[in-house]
Amino acid sequence: MEVDGNTVLARSLKEQGVEYVFGIVGIPVIELSMAMQAEGLKYIGMRNEQSACYAAQAIGYLTGKPGICLVVSGPGLLHVTGGMANAQVNCWPLLVIGGSTFQDHEGIGGFQECPQVELSRPYCKYSARPAGVTLIPQHVEKAVRLACYGRPGAAYLDFPGNLLLARVPEEKVPKQYAHPEPPIAFPSEKCVRQAAHLLANAKRPLIIIGKGAAYARAELHLRQLVHQTNLPFLPTPMGKGVVPDLDPQCVAPARTLALQKADCILLLGARLNWMLHFGRAPRYSEGVKIIQVDLNPEELHNSVLSSVAVQSDIVPFTEQLIDELANMHFTFDNKNDWWVDLRAKCDKNRKIVDKMAQDVKVPLNYHAVFHHLQELIPKDAIIVSEGANTMDIGRTFLHNKWPRHRLDAGTFGTMGVGPGFAIAAALVCRDRFPGEKVICVEGDSAFGFSGMEIETMMRYQLPVVIVIVNNGGIYSGFDKQTYDDMRSGGDLTQVTPPTALAVETHYEAMMGMFGATGHFVRTIPELQKAVKEALVLTDRPTIINVIISPQADRKPQDFQWLTESKL
């Protein structure tokens, strides 16, 4: 009995434990998508290749097993390079499978001919084309393994049309082993002792928890560490929920003070890149001692020289650190001046934002919208967020109780990820956590990148609550009178501000395409009514379009949010 390349590839993916496939089909992968379904893989047809890639990598982050992004040749593959780069920079497992032109058409202008293996290589850990059908299982195993082992990332496999259609005797196809879970790297005892000594002797210690800790499933250990030592902690955006945001030891409201004054920082699953201001003054003290824990040795000492650099998985390091500090009988004094200063700053900043949140006059501001949204959404909801102010301000109001329950633009700062991430999260909730809700909070500019994925959500009956915070612009917009005045009497390409979008666009009307109704919101009572109605839906998404002031902004900052170059 013979089998074709499509069947061998689908079976190989199934052998490696892959579950979800996201893509857009066409020549030469239509039959492949059907073979995947025949083997029991879950195929989700998307509306844009980038969104398919975002969804596949979010599955990788949420489950630990890479999602598959299936694309056609040429432009299809090129459209996902942004998503591949995002997965690689975010360190999320992803496998992209691309169809390509028939090999006998290469070099003579084949349909969508493109050097896809070479083009993918800068954006992934592994890029290859199997030489024949019988080698497909070997390459699939390696691609999945490399996407998961070490620092997770993207992999790419290329399949010419003739390879997918080629047939071989079934007994010639080898059964490929399924690799075990990634090996665990343990820290050196010396590094653990040094780390414990620095923390125990610090006057102003701080723990920073990154999304690497969430991916490592280190939440139980980090909660024990934080509570046993009474150390303050600061989560990065997707480190939120590893220890609950509302834990009394979370000092996120005093982020600037915590970073600037800490004399010893334990860095767990986070990198000293732009998101943490590179670990350098003036955002940090000149003499701050940094304990850096990272699975990837190449990341150690990057940007600044760490006092203790530990190559290790977070769980075994934290287990050993807990024991070492317990043997030292270390608990940080709750009445220490550092705690007094941090609590005072937290209280001061909370009062500022609470006051802004109580301002519910129309047009609304960000703080009022997020405050009242947080009051209504379930505490275990997965929150997807993107947009400039929408994402940054929302982070302080929309709390996470559990790890891996916040997905945003991430390290690469990628816009357009929201709907794809939300689709992945909704599928994971449906299959693993029934009853959990997905709340996708979008800026109006960000929603414009991938808004047509609302049709995908409708087709697969995914009850995503999409909240669009609409200020009519990129960063900020203009009121209707100002907008009309600026655009009158001139060439619109020269007088329309580059940051402007159309005023009060009715995004919620997109629900009318499916015979449903969205929500157009101007006031807090309208928002409350819309959210309550949306949360009871179980078989379709909805859009809540919230109009806010075009000039709404975040609270005044001690520093600009982005550390600027001195060059």
Side-chain angles (χ1 to χ4, degrees), residues 173-350:
V173 181
K175 282 284 186 182
Q176 190 67 26
Y177 58 83
H179 53 262
E181 291 296 309
I184 297 175
F186 286 80
S188 74
E189 293 182 6
K190 178 182 177 182
C191 286
V192 175
R193 287 195 299 269
Q194 289 176 332
H197 179 78
L198 285 181
L199 287 170
N201 289 279
K203 294 181 179 179
R204 297 181 300 280
L206 176 69
I207 300 174
I208 298 179
I209 300 174
K211 70 173 177 287
Y215 183 80
R217 270 78 177 155
E219 53 267 21
L220 295 180
H221 302 84
L222 291 190
R223 293 178 187 203
Q224 181 182 350
L225 174 66
V226 166
H227 295 145
Q228 180 175 301
T229 61
N230 194 45
L231 290 170
F233 76 91
L234 180 70
T236 65
M238 274 189 276
K240 284 161 58 69
V242 173
V243 183
D245 287 345
L246 295 180
D247 189 287
Q249 287 169 244
C250 179
V251 294
R255 183 180 191 272
T256 297
L257 175 67
L259 294 179
Q260 194 175 27
K261 298 299 183 181
D263 64 356
C264 181
I265 292 174
L266 174 59
L267 190 67
L268 297 171
R271 288 167 282 177
L272 292 176
N273 54 21
W274 68 273
M275 296 185 77
L276 286 174
H277 315 292
F278 313 108
R280 300 175 181 177
R283 295 298 189 102
Y284 293 76
S285 295
E286 287 284 357
V288 62
K289 293 178 172 60
I290 294 177
I291 304 163
Q292 187 181 14
V293 183
D294 202 288
L295 183 64
N296 182 27
E298 287 84 359
E299 190 61 40
L300 301 175
H301 305 298
N302 193 35
S303 180
V304 297
L305 181 65
S306 297
S307 299
V308 181
V310 189
Q311 182 193 3
S312 175
D313 279 273
I314 292 172
V315 168
F317 171 83
T318 307
E319 287 177 330
Q320 294 184 31
L321 182 64
I322 287 171
D323 291 341
E324 190 71 27
L325 290 171
N327 291 335
M328 297 169 66
H329 304 289
F330 170 72
T331 302
F332 194 61
D333 185 1
N334 202 44
K335 297 180 181 178
N336 182 283
D337 288 345
W338 181 228
W339 261 125
V340 172
D341 291 345
L342 289 171
R343 290 196 183 100
K345 189 66 171 179
C346 284
D347 291 342
K348 178 182 177 181
N349 285 342
R350 285 193 188 101

Side-chain angles (χ1 to χ4, degrees), residues 454 457-458 462-466 511 537 539-543:
I454 188 73
M457 298 176 193
M458 182 65 73
L462 301 175
V464 177
V465 180
I466 300 176
M511 296 305 304
L537 297 174
D539 62 351
R540 70 169 177 85
T542 194
I543 296 176

Side-chain angles (χ1 to χ4, degrees), residues 13 18 20-23 36 52 56 66-70 94-97 144:
L13 293 168
V18 170
Y20 299 94
V21 182
F22 303 85
M36 289 172 165
I68 305 299
C69 178
L70 177 64
L94 164 73
L95 174 55
V96 175
I97 291 177
V144 174

Side-chain angles (χ1 to χ4, degrees), residues 17-200:
V18 170
E19 188 175 357
Y20 299 94
V21 182
F22 303 85
I24 298 179
V25 298
I27 297 171
V29 297
I30 296 174
E31 292 81 4
L32 174 58
S33 65
M34 296 175 181
M36 289 172 165
Q37 288 182 316
E39 292 299 325
L41 300 178
K42 299 175 181 179
Y43 179 83
I44 300 92
M46 305 287 283
R47 299 304 302 265
N48 179 282
E49 287 96 350
Q50 281 194 358
S51 291
C53 200
Y54 298 144
Q57 65 194 257
I59 284 288
Y61 174 66
L62 294 169
T63 69
K65 183 67 72 171
I68 305 299
C69 178
L70 177 64
V71 296
V72 300
S73 50
L77 185 278
L78 289 172
H79 285 171
V80 303
T81 52
M84 292 170 71
N86 190 70
Q88 189 75 347
V89 174
N90 258 358
C91 309
W92 288 0
L94 164 73
L95 174 55
V96 175
I97 291 177
S100 57
T101 193
F102 283 63
Q103 287 170 293
D104 59 325
H105 292 173
E106 291 180 339
I108 56 174
F111 175 66
Q112 295 182 334
E113 182 182 350
C114 189
Q116 295 172 192
V117 175
E118 292 81 1
L119 285 170
S120 299
R121 193 162 283 128
Y123 309 109
C124 57
K125 297 174 67 176
Y126 181 65
S127 180
R129 171 191 285 183
V133 174
T134 58
L135 292 173
I136 290 175
Q138 172 187 319
H139 282 278
V140 169
E141 185 280 328
K142 185 173 183 179
V144 174
R145 173 163 44 88
L146 293 188
C148 297
Y149 275 36
R151 173 180 278 183
Y156 173 70
L157 291 178
D158 192 68
F159 291 92
N162 58 291
L163 179 60
L164 293 173
L165 295 177
R167 304 182 70 84
V168 298
E170 190 165 9
E171 64 269 17
K172 296 286 188 181
V173 181
K175 282 284 186 182
Q176 190 67 26
Y177 58 83
H179 53 262
E181 291 296 309
I184 297 175
F186 286 80
S188 74
E189 293 182 6
K190 178 182 177 182
C191 286
V192 175
R193 287 195 299 269
Q194 289 176 332
H197 179 78
L198 285 181
L199 287 170

